[in-house]
């Protein structure tokens, strides 16, 4: 039996047998939840459930008022050192616990180092060999982190162990490790860092080990080398952080460093069943928290619980406050990656990290990239910017244009006309299509004239060349007056357009053009018999008489001439260009006070500057003269036509030589003489001698009728 060489083991075993035998039947029973009053810290070590503090190793009840540890997980919390030293937790009675991890299912503990030394006084080898026994407890030596470690220069140490089942015929496990230092000088053969047999040896342990003891082989002693390396050491310890130092082999540094103890790791597990079996026993199943999972122990029978992915807390507690709770990953950006253009959104059991708007990829993987390459973005932005500027400037122009339009409308008396609603007010855009070269039909003193169709009617649009110089309501009033002049022998004003600087006027279209052109167009002389000429004279006079007769708004034409007498398809005359034509300066020759055609101008008006109805009568006399002579009235020619005619008529009482050969037929001479005498009266320099337009019209009508007979 190896036990006879162990100092501590028999005592420990006796204690274990008594304690564990009493405890184990409880393992399969219900696992009630711990009291909230349980102490959860001992010294600086946290003690989470299923661990708990108990008063003595054989007591699982903990505090008086309840159960604090799961069966087998009780720790004592003893005061160490004299007079208020530190409190430390102990497992299995005397094994100090330095940390517990629920997630890994591990506990970190401290372990005595065994040694085998040469006593220079007694000249004998002295052994101090330890054992550790967790048989019957939930703990198993972790096979992944622990290694049996032997230090010395002439040493062979054995590790003996078992899975905890006693009485089955001795230990199932035994292994050993040899550490040697060869060479002339021991010190030079050793090197820091490596534990590969020279001064240091490590060996792995099997799974499921719950008990071990150390044994030094007496065949390897340090008698010969005690001046350099007096002691050998052996311990099962956590090797993950161990680095060999040469001083460990040549001095007591190794055993002195940590008070003769070395850390080791225990895997622990709940019960001795697998998850599948345990789950079927809800009374004892330990993974009670919502969102917890069960994992089979990798190191032996039993299982541990863990919070599901995305949750943290204690999976062994039902209480939702301390059980597994959702992790708010977004609050832990150093652990849960969501950068590079990701937007973190926590959800139960995880988090989402979609790429920000307009980015594509995986933010968690750091591959969020822009849809658009920089060049495209720059292009889009530039084009967008330009477009915006264009739109803005367009709107500004549009606004200005609209404002201008409104200003013109106001200036040209739009508001007044709108109130009167007598004629149609055309929009600028309605007239625009008409004002093109192909529609141009002439240029008068008023401006350019275009022919077009509006509201299915042929119209003539008059567009002034120069801007209007009128006050706003002056123009409007004139338009109102003209629009009220409705007579078959007066050109009808249909509407106007005020949305431009100089208002445009829309008249009915008169097909044959002016009497002036018909009389004097040498290229294409139209035959006009006396009857037609009388009719033209009579109807024109009728139109003028109507204008002069209007009671409330007597209208003077001011510019009566053959060019202003238009003829329709049936050679019915229509007077045009009155009123407004006087308001809008025709050519620069005209002063503000004297407007009209010099060729037809009443000399009295020229002298006195006062325009009267009789001025129109004078001008009409010239028109009659032109009709009978078919000759142009020319002011530049010293008014030869009028002067000669009047002189001839004065001397001979007749003016036959002036008559147009076309109509000077013997039978008609009397009528022509009558016509001539009307003209003479009209052309009288004594204003009072001139007949009224009404009289002229009546006499012409009579003449016209007599002619037809
Ligand atoms: C598991 O533990 C219970 C209670 O201690 C015991 O009765 C049972 O035999 C054990 N089973 C195994 C397979 O070790
Ligand atoms: C801790 O204290 C308990 C009783 O208070 C005693 O039984 C146990 O041996 C002590 N353990 C240590 C390591 O001092
Ligand atoms: C328990 O969960 C934690 C965190 O998710 C993980 O690190 C650990 O490895 C898990 N333990 C087991 C035994 O699966
Ligand atoms: C050697 O043995 C003697 C007698 O037992 C003892 O007094 C002494 O302390 C020992 N020396 C060492 C270094 O252990
Ligand atoms: C040390 O070992 C040698 C043989 O290697 C042996 O002769 C000697 O007696 C041993 N010394 C002690 C103190 O055991
Ligand atoms: C190893 O390291 C220790 C200090 O850690 C030093 O005292 C010793 O001399 C080193 N040994 C060698 C061989 O470098
Ligand atoms: C050990 O050292 C002492 C003196 O320091 C010396 O007398 C003795 O012979 C040495 N022993 C061995 C084995 O080297
Ligand atoms: C490992 O050693 C370093 C420093 O040497 C220490 O900070 C760390 O806590 C140790 N790790 C473990 C698991 O003991
Ligand atoms: C556990 O989750 C279920 C549904 O998933 C719920 O009904 C129950 O209340 C939860 N229990 C606790 C303690 O939160």
């Amino acid at each position: 039996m190896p036990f006879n060489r162990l100092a501590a083991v028999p005592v420990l075993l006796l204690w274990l047998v008594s304690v564990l035998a009493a405890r184990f039947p409880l393992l399969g029973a219900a696992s009630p939840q711990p009291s909230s009053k349980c102490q959860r810290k001992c010294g600086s070590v946290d003690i989470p459930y299923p661990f708990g503090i108990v008063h003595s190793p054989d007591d699982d009840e903990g505090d008086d008022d309840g159960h604090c540890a799961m069966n087998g997980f009780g720790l004592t919390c003893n005061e160490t050192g004299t007079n208020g030293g530190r409190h430390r937790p102990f497992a299995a009675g005397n094994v100090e616990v330095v940390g517990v991890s629920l997630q890994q299912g591990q506990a970190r503990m401290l372990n005595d180092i065994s040694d085998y030394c040469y006593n220079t006084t007694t000249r004998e080898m002295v052994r101090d060999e330890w054992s550790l026994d967790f048989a019957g407890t939930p703990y198993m030596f972790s096979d992944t982190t622990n290694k049996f470690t032997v230090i010395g220069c002439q040493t062979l140490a054995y590790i003996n162990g078992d899975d905890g089942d006693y009485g089955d015929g001795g230990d199932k496990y035994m292994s050993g490790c040899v550490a040697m230092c060869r060479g002339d000088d021991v010190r030079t053969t050793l090197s820091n860092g490596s534990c590969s047999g020279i001064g240091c040896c490590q060996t792995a342990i099997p799974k499921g080990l719950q008990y071990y003891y150390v044994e030094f082989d007496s065949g390897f002693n340090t008698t010969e080398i005690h001046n350099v390396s007096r002691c050998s050491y052996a311990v099962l310890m956590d090797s993950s952080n161990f680095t060999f130092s040469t001083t460990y082999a040549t001095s007591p540094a190794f055993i002195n460093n940590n008070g003769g103890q070395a850390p080791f790791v225990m895997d622990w597990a709940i019960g001795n069943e697998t998850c599948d079996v345990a789950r079927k026993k809800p009374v004892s199943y330990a993974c009670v928290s919502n969102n917890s999972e069960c994992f089979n122990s990798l190191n032996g029978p039993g299982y541990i619980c863990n919070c599901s992915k995305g949750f943290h807390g204690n999976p062994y507690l039902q209480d939702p406050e301390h059980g597994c709770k959702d992790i708010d990953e977004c609050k832990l950006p150093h652990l849960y990656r969501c950068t590079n253009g990701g937007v973190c959104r926590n959800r139960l059991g995880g988090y989402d990290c979609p790429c920000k708007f307009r980015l594509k990829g995986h933010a968690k993987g750091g591959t969020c990239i822009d849809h658009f390459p920089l060049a495209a973005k720059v292009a889009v932005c530039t084009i967008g910017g330009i477009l915006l500027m264009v739109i803005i400037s367009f709107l500004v122009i549009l606004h200005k244009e609209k404002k201008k339009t409104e200003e013109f409308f106001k200036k040209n008396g739009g508001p007044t006309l709108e109130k009167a609603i007598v004629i149609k007010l055309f929009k600028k855009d309605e007239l625009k299509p008409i004002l093109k070269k192909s529609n141009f039909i002439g240029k008068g003193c008023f401006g350019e004239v275009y022919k077009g169709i509006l509201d299915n009617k042929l119209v003539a649009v008059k567009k002034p060349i120069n801007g209007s110089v009128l006050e706003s309501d002056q123009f409007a009033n004139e338009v109102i007056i003209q629009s009220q002049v409705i007579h078959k022998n007066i050109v009808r004003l249909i509407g106007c357009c005020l949305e431009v600087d100089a208002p445009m006027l829309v008249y009915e279209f008169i097909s044959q053009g002016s009497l002036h052109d018909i009389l004097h167009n040498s290229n294409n002389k139209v035959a006009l018999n006396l009857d037609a000429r009388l009719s033209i004279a009579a109807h024109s006079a009728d139109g003028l008489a109507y204008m002069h007769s209007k009671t409330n708004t007597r209208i003077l034409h001011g510019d009566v001439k053959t060019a202003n007498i238009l003829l329709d398809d049936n050679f019915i005359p229509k007077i045009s260009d009155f009123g407004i034509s006087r308001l809008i300066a025709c050519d620069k020759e005209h002063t503000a006070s004297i407007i009209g055609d010099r060729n037809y101008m009443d000399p009295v008006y020229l002298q006195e500057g006062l325009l009267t109805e009789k001025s129109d009568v004078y001008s009409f006399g010239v028109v009659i003269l032109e009709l009978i002579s078919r000759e142009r009235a020319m002011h530049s020619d010293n008014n030869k036509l009028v002067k000669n005619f009047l002189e001839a008529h004065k001397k001979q009482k007749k003016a036959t030589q002036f008559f147009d050969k076309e109509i000077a037929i013997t039978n008609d001479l009397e009528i022509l003489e009558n016509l001539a005498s009307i003209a003479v009266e009209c052309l009288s320099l004594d204003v009072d001698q001139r007949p009224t337009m009404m009289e002229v019209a009546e006499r012409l009508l009579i003449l016209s009728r007599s002619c037809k007979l």
Side-chain angles (χ1 to χ4, degrees):
M1 275 289 277
F3 286 139
N4 59 0
R5 277 184 254 155
L6 302 176
V9 165
V11 180
L12 186 69
L13 281 181
L14 274 177
W15 171 79
L16 275 174
V17 168
S18 61
V19 167
L20 295 176
R23 187 184 305 163
F24 258 67
L26 292 169
L27 269 179
S31 75
Q33 289 288 289
S35 157
S36 60
K37 287 178 186 160
C38 291
Q39 190 185 332
R40 285 290 159 216
K41 218 166 163 102
C42 176
S44 59
V45 182
D46 289 318
I47 316 288
Y49 190 76
F51 294 87
I53 291 167
V54 293
H55 291 301
S56 65
D58 49 357
D59 162 29
D60 275 338
E61 289 306 309
D63 292 334
D64 297 333
D65 47 8
H67 168 92
C68 284
M70 201 180 280
N71 290 332
F73 289 94
L75 304 175
T76 54
C77 187
N78 284 11
E79 197 175 351
T80 55
T82 50
N83 281 336
R86 265 196 326 144
H87 276 87
R88 299 165 199 237
F90 293 89
N94 61 352
V95 183
E96 186 181 342
V97 176
V98 292
V100 167
S101 162
L102 292 189
Q103 289 186 351
Q104 307 301 328
Q106 290 183 328
R108 202 173 165 75
M109 303 184 184
L110 294 177
N111 184 11
D112 285 330
I113 297 169
S114 303
D115 61 342
Y116 185 42
C117 295
Y118 178 78
N119 186 321
T120 46
T121 316
T122 61
R123 293 168 184 244
E124 280 183 350
M125 292 300 295
V126 181
R127 59 181 73 236
D128 192 0
E129 293 167 328
W130 295 97
S131 72
L132 207 50
D133 190 353
F134 280 90
T137 71
Y139 303 100
M140 277 160 281
F141 294 105
S142 166
D143 60 312
T144 52
T145 44
N146 298 317
K147 282 204 165 82
F148 181 58
T149 305
V150 176
I151 287 165
C153 273
Q154 176 87 15
T155 310
L156 165 59
Y158 301 104
I159 175 168
N160 299 278
D162 206 342
D163 56 8
D165 288 333
Y166 304 117
D168 55 0
D171 308 324
K172 286 178 183 161
Y173 168 67
M174 181 178 178
S175 185
C177 219
V178 174
M180 301 293 281
C181 309
R182 284 283 156 89
D184 297 338
D185 187 355
V186 165
R187 287 182 181 87
T188 58
T189 62
L190 295 168
S191 67
N192 277 339
S194 84
C195 183
S196 51
I198 303 165
C200 178
C201 174
Q202 282 187 323
T203 184
I205 58 164
K207 285 185 188 298
L209 201 63
Q210 283 195 297
Y211 152 72
Y212 89 94
Y213 68 87
V214 175
E215 205 179 359
F216 289 101
D217 190 309
S218 53
F220 293 77
N221 62 48
T222 50
T223 310
E224 298 294 315
I225 56 163
H226 72 266
N227 274 6
V228 180
S229 176
R230 197 176 62 86
C231 290
S232 302
Y233 308 100
V235 69
L236 181 65
M237 67 178 291
D238 175 10
S239 66
S240 58
N241 225 12
F242 174 78
T243 12
F244 175 68
S245 168
T246 56
T247 54
Y248 292 170
T250 57
S251 76
F254 180 61
I255 198 163
N256 287 351
N257 267 0
N258 209 359
Q261 293 190 305
F264 69 103
V265 174
M266 276 300 203
D267 289 328
W268 48 265
I270 312 287
N272 58 7
E273 290 155 336
T274 62
C275 286
D276 290 339
V277 178
R279 232 178 254 127
K280 288 174 191 148
K281 300 175 181 170
V283 181
S284 61
Y285 184 53
C287 307
V288 292
S289 173
N290 265 2
N291 306 304
S292 68
E293 284 169 34
C294 180
F295 294 86
N296 287 324
S297 170
L298 297 174
N299 197 9
Y303 63 90
I304 61 162
C305 306
N306 206 354
C307 285
S308 307
K309 202 163 168 286
F311 292 84
H312 67 159
N314 190 329
Y316 302 95
L317 296 175
Q318 234 161 3
D319 157 30
E321 189 57 34
H322 299 100
C324 293
K325 285 184 292 187
D326 177 49
I327 299 171
D328 190 348
E329 288 87 353
C330 297
K331 286 185 179 153
L332 304 165
H334 53 289
L335 291 178
Y336 301 93
R337 206 178 147 146
C338 184
T339 46
N340 283 312
V343 183
C344 193
R345 275 188 221 122
N346 183 44
R347 63 174 160 76
L348 214 57
Y351 71 109
D352 295 318
C353 181
C355 287
K356 271 180 198 152
F357 177 62
R358 277 205 271 104
L359 298 183
K360 256 189 174 169
H362 300 280
K364 282 185 198 174
T367 61
C368 273
I369 42 159
D370 215 324
H371 264 317
F372 300 107
L374 186 66
K377 231 189 317 191
V378 167
V380 165
C381 285
T382 311
I383 291 168
I386 291 172
L387 220 69
L388 195 72
M389 270 162 63
V390 167
I391 288 171
I392 287 173
S393 34
F394 181 72
L395 287 177
V396 166
I397 289 169
L398 213 68
H399 180 74
K400 267 190 183 165
E401 188 66 16
K402 202 182 162 212
K403 229 174 129 189
K404 223 167 81 189
T405 302
E406 281 168 2
E407 266 170 24
F408 286 145
F409 186 79
K410 218 165 150 187
K411 180 188 125 189
N412 293 326
T416 311
L417 277 185
E418 260 183 344
K419 266 179 252 155
I421 317 181
V422 281
I423 53 164
K424 187 155 181 194
L425 297 182
F426 290 103
K427 294 247 174 281
K428 197 167 57 178
D429 295 340
E430 289 177 276
L431 299 189
K432 218 174 219 165
I434 293 171
L435 303 174
K436 58 188 179 190
K437 238 181 183 165
S438 57
N439 288 339
F440 179 79
I441 51 171
K443 195 168 171 181
C445 83
F446 178 85
E448 291 167 341
V449 185
Y450 296 85
K451 176 184 173 182
I453 295 178
L454 276 177
D455 300 337
N456 290 323
K457 261 184 270 175
L458 270 174
V459 295
V461 178
K462 296 199 174 181
K463 178 178 176 249
I465 298 162
N466 302 315
S468 160
V469 291
L470 302 176
E471 296 297 318
S472 67
D473 282 355
Q474 211 178 342
F475 179 82
N477 287 331
E478 281 297 332
V479 168
I480 290 169
I481 291 166
Q482 246 198 72
S483 66
Q484 287 166 348
V485 175
I486 299 169
H487 188 272
K488 64 178 172 33
N489 297 119
I490 297 174
V491 174
R492 176 88 195 275
L493 178 70
I494 295 171
C496 62
C497 173
L498 306 175
E499 295 174 350
V500 283
D501 188 17
M504 290 183 279
L505 298 167
V506 180
Y507 291 96
E508 61 175 321
F509 181 74
I510 312 299
S511 56
Q512 295 297 331
S514 73
L515 176 60
H516 180 269
D517 289 346
I518 285 170
L519 285 176
H520 308 304
N521 192 335
S522 49
N523 299 336
N524 182 22
K525 241 178 185 175
V526 181
L528 274 179
N529 59 26
L530 180 60
D531 190 23
R533 295 186 202 203
L534 273 172
S535 165
I536 289 168
H539 283 112
S540 302
D542 197 30
L544 284 170
Y546 166 80
M547 282 166 66
H548 290 178
S549 72
K550 280 193 69 89
T551 45
N552 48 351
T553 48
R554 197 171 48 104
I555 300 166
L556 304 181
H557 189 290
D559 196 13
V560 174
K561 57 183 179 180
T562 51
N564 281 340
I565 296 168
L566 307 180
L567 299 176
D568 72 5
D569 285 336
N570 302 316
F571 279 77
I572 305 290
K574 289 177 187 266
I575 311 280
S576 80
D577 270 356
F578 62 99
I580 298 159
S581 51
R582 292 202 325 273
L583 295 169
I584 299 166
C586 283
D587 65 68
K588 301 285 183 288
E589 238 179 82
H590 297 150
T591 62
S593 55
I594 298 163
I595 305 169
D597 194 318
R598 282 277 173 129
N599 301 330
Y600 298 84
M601 196 159 288
D602 174 11
V604 176
Y605 165 55
L606 261 179
Q607 277 169 16
E608 296 176 5
L610 184 68
L611 192 69
T612 64
E613 291 140 68
K614 295 291 173 72
S615 303
D616 281 349
V617 173
Y618 178 89
S619 301
F620 191 73
V622 181
V623 170
I624 297 174
L625 195 51
E626 261 188 273
L627 270 171
I628 54 179
S629 68
R630 203 161 191 170
E631 272 178 50
R632 287 170 198 260
M634 303 279 275
H635 169 71
S636 54
D637 204 11
N638 203 18
N639 277 344
K640 205 173 76 189
L641 178 65
V642 177
K643 267 185 185 160
N644 293 350
F645 171 73
L646 286 178
E647 264 170 34
H649 204 269
K650 216 173 181 178
K651 285 177 187 165
Q652 304 156 22
K653 292 283 175 200
K654 56 182 176 183
T656 321
Q657 76 266 31
F658 287 96
F659 297 158
D660 183 6
K661 302 286 174 292
E662 191 190 338
I663 52 170
I665 308 159
T666 323
N667 286 351
D668 291 338
L669 280 179
E670 197 190 333
I671 294 172
L672 277 168
E673 285 298 346
N674 279 332
L675 195 50
S677 63
I678 295 173
V680 170
E681 280 177 55
C682 288
L683 295 169
S684 167
L685 286 177
D686 181 355
V687 172
D688 295 331
Q689 292 288 304
R690 295 176 194 166
T692 64
M693 218 50 234
M694 191 70 82
E695 288 165 359
V696 173
E698 274 170 12
R699 286 163 67 178
L700 285 173
L701 191 65
I702 293 163
L703 266 185
S704 167
R705 279 183 189 148
S706 67
C707 174
K708 275 185 189 132
L709 288 174

